[in-house]
Amino acid sequence: MTQIATARWPGIAHTPRTPLKARAAKAILKPTVNRIPVQVSFADGTRWGAVVRTPRDADRATEGVFARLGAESKIGLGEAYMAGDWNAAPGTDLADLLSPFADRMAHLVPEKLQTFRAFVDQKLPHHQRNSVAGSRKNIEAHYDLSNDLFTQFLDPSMSYSAAWFESPTQSLEDAQMRKIDGILDQAHVGAGTRMLEIGSGWGALAIRAAQRGAKVTTITISKEQAVLAEERFAEAGVDVDLQLVDYREVTGEYDAIVSVEMIEAVGEEYWPTYFATIDKLLAPGGHVSIQAITMAHHRYLATRNSYGWIQKYIFPGGLIPSLEAIDATLAEHTSLAVTDRRSLGLDYAQTLQQWRDRFNANWDAIRSQGFDETFRRMWEFYLAYCQAGFSVGYIDVFQIQMSRPTEG
């Protein structure tokens, strides 16, 4: 196993010593594996699952998997992968291996044991709350890792959200521009439109809007993204007002407000503030379009108060809403209502596959930036984990148009 930097990855370098919990995790996991199309081969030669080799195999699994699952059930599988306690077998794609688990997520734990969820789930740590200060720290933890890192696996538009493919053979860059045009069309962005973008990314949407003739204001709290976005605005020859402010600090009036996959970082307790702010800033007759990752309402209710691997390692403070939760927040705190929406869930699975392929192909360049093997395994698991969720429909993503119904 690759040596793990203890100072950088203290929770990964040492296997938890909780033998009773490890045995309990093993007792729960074995029947689960035996009833889904997955085979697991252990370091000692033991095998679970299908007798005949399947396209979804894990091998070289160790007892560390059970120790980590027993210690933290919602975090342990990902940490075990980061630690090298299990791998996808040669010829098995990691996302394909995870898909049967994602497809059965609500039923992996026997129903009788689910009554103990409250005793197992950890709540979101207080330091990850999305206050103005907390949001900046949470965003910095992911988006300020390195612009060069993201350059290595994103397409030339530097779009870090679901693309919208017209066909399976369309290039990722063209599919990303189609996605952006879909958002801008929903928000009725054209010549002279006063448009606010909440969450600048690296500037692709703002550039496209400015090229349509819109008067663009875009905001971000990522200093790293802001630097590169400004460079890209200059290269594109567009006039964009980029402000390094939180959405709660914005003033003015806008004909169109857009936001792409930013609501997931808002936090449930701040959804009313987020949507009320949009409502306050939107001019009469204006339109809103947001792209939002969602999950089924019953899964949102079951997981809203828990703390998972994604929140610990990838998106601190993150929470995926349901469509119903968005509708309820709009109804209670704004004059807005959803007037159109389209799903891009399978498109996101394809997007993530391409990102993962590029990440792996360019790993040597990424490693030269100072990222280690544990980081590589963390990001490989993150991209595959999300791809599996979108491919089976456990999670989805929608472009959602909102307006004030009385204004037509």
Side-chain angles (χ1 to χ4, degrees):
M1 185 190 303
T2 303
Q3 186 68 31
I4 299 171
T6 304
R8 186 174 183 183
W9 308 102
I12 305 301
H14 302 292
T15 304
R17 297 187 180 278
T18 53
L20 290 177
K21 290 182 177 181
R23 285 200 291 271
K26 187 174 186 177
I28 293 171
L29 185 61
K30 185 174 182 178
T32 298
V33 170
N34 286 337
R35 64 176 182 266
I36 64 176
V38 166
Q39 179 175 275
V40 180
S41 302
F42 292 90
D44 64 2
T46 304
R47 291 189 178 187
W48 291 356
V51 175
V52 179
R53 181 177 174 84
T54 75
R56 298 187 177 105
D57 295 354
D59 70 357
R60 290 181 289 162
T62 71
E63 292 293 317
V65 174
F66 307 124
R68 295 180 191 277
L69 280 171
E72 295 185 275
S73 61
K74 299 193 70 174
I75 294 172
L77 185 66
E79 289 192 334
Y81 190 80
M82 292 168 65
D85 290 332
W86 66 276
N87 297 278
T92 295
D93 180 78
L94 182 57
D96 285 344
L97 176 59
L98 294 171
S99 293
F101 294 96
D103 196 29
R104 298 162 176 81
M105 189 68 73
H107 309 291
L108 287 177
V109 176
E111 190 172 347
K112 291 181 179 180
L113 293 179
Q114 291 190 28
T115 58
F116 296 99
R117 174 185 290 273
F119 299 100
V120 175
D121 280 352
Q122 298 183 56
K123 292 188 177 181
L124 186 73
H126 184 77
H127 70 271
Q128 286 195 8
R129 287 180 65 246
N130 287 290
S131 61
V132 174
S135 288
R136 285 191 169 91
K137 291 180 180 178
N138 290 339
I139 291 299
E140 288 170 359
H142 186 84
Y143 293 95
D144 284 3
L145 281 170
S146 161
N147 286 334
D148 291 338
L149 162 67
F150 290 96
T151 301
Q152 292 300 324
F153 71 91
L154 298 180
D155 71 282
S157 77
M158 291 293 286
S159 295
Y160 189 37
S161 52
W164 184 20
F165 290 90
E166 189 170 21
S167 71
T169 58
Q170 186 176 34
S171 73
L172 180 58
E173 183 176 14
D174 287 346
Q176 290 289 9
M177 299 315 297
R178 183 172 184 244
K179 174 272 300 293
I180 289 172
D181 283 333
I183 290 283
L184 296 178
D185 289 345
Q186 273 193 340
H188 296 198
V189 175
T193 303
R194 296 169 298 171
M195 190 199 85
L196 170 67
E197 179 188 24
I198 301 176
S200 307
W202 288 277
L205 188 148
I207 291 171
R208 192 73 157 187
Q211 289 171 340
R212 288 188 175 201
K215 182 180 179 181
V216 180
T217 299
T218 184
I219 66 168
T220 182
I221 53 176
S222 168
K223 294 178 182 178
E224 287 289 320
Q225 285 188 320
V227 170
L228 183 54
E230 289 281 24
E231 292 176 5
R232 287 163 56 83
F233 297 153
E235 290 172 3
V238 295
D239 183 16
V240 173
D241 177 19
L242 186 151
Q243 300 178 16
L244 201 63
V245 297
D246 186 272
Y247 68 90
R248 287 159 283 203
E249 302 167 329
V250 179
T251 59
E253 184 177 76
Y254 301 90
D255 307 307
I257 300 177
V258 299
S259 189
V260 178
E261 294 180 27
M262 188 272 184
I263 188 174
E264 304 83 2
V266 169
E268 183 180 36
E269 69 175 303
Y270 295 103
W271 290 343
T273 303
Y274 172 74
F275 284 116
T277 299
I278 289 174
D279 192 24
K280 178 185 70 175
L281 297 172
L282 188 66
H287 292 84
V288 178
S289 180
I290 71 169
Q291 186 161 306
I293 299 173
T294 66
M295 64 168 55
H297 193 59
H298 71 280
R299 293 307 301 158
Y300 152 71
L301 292 175
T303 60
R304 61 193 287 203
N305 293 318
S306 60
Y307 179 60
W309 183 87
I310 284 282
Q311 292 158 313
K312 182 174 181 178
Y313 287 101
I314 306 298
F315 294 113
L319 178 65
I320 296 174
S322 66
L323 292 172
E324 292 87 341
I326 291 174
D327 287 341
T329 306
L330 290 175
E332 186 174 353
H333 299 281
T334 77
S335 62
L336 300 170
V338 173
T339 47
D340 186 34
R341 68 188 186 205
R342 66 171 67 93
S343 169
L344 308 183
L346 293 179
D347 298 87
Y348 218 156
Q350 186 174 346
T351 303
L352 284 154
Q353 176 70 68
Q354 293 201 35
W355 287 348
R356 187 157 54 96
D357 289 344
R358 293 165 186 243
F359 181 90
N360 289 331
N362 295 329
W363 170 244
D364 286 344
I366 294 170
R367 180 174 55 192
S368 70
Q369 298 175 33
F371 297 103
D372 62 12
E373 178 66 10
T374 306
F375 178 89
R376 185 192 71 78
R377 293 182 68 90
M378 178 178 73
W379 268 65
E380 183 181 34
F381 186 82
Y382 149 55
L383 295 170
Y385 176 86
C386 292
Q387 181 185 338
F390 285 109
S391 68
V392 302
Y394 179 74
I395 48 178
D396 206 335
V397 61
F398 285 87
Q399 292 187 338
I400 305 172
Q401 182 193 63
M402 303 169 188
S403 59
R404 298 186 180 102
T406 57
E407 297 174 359

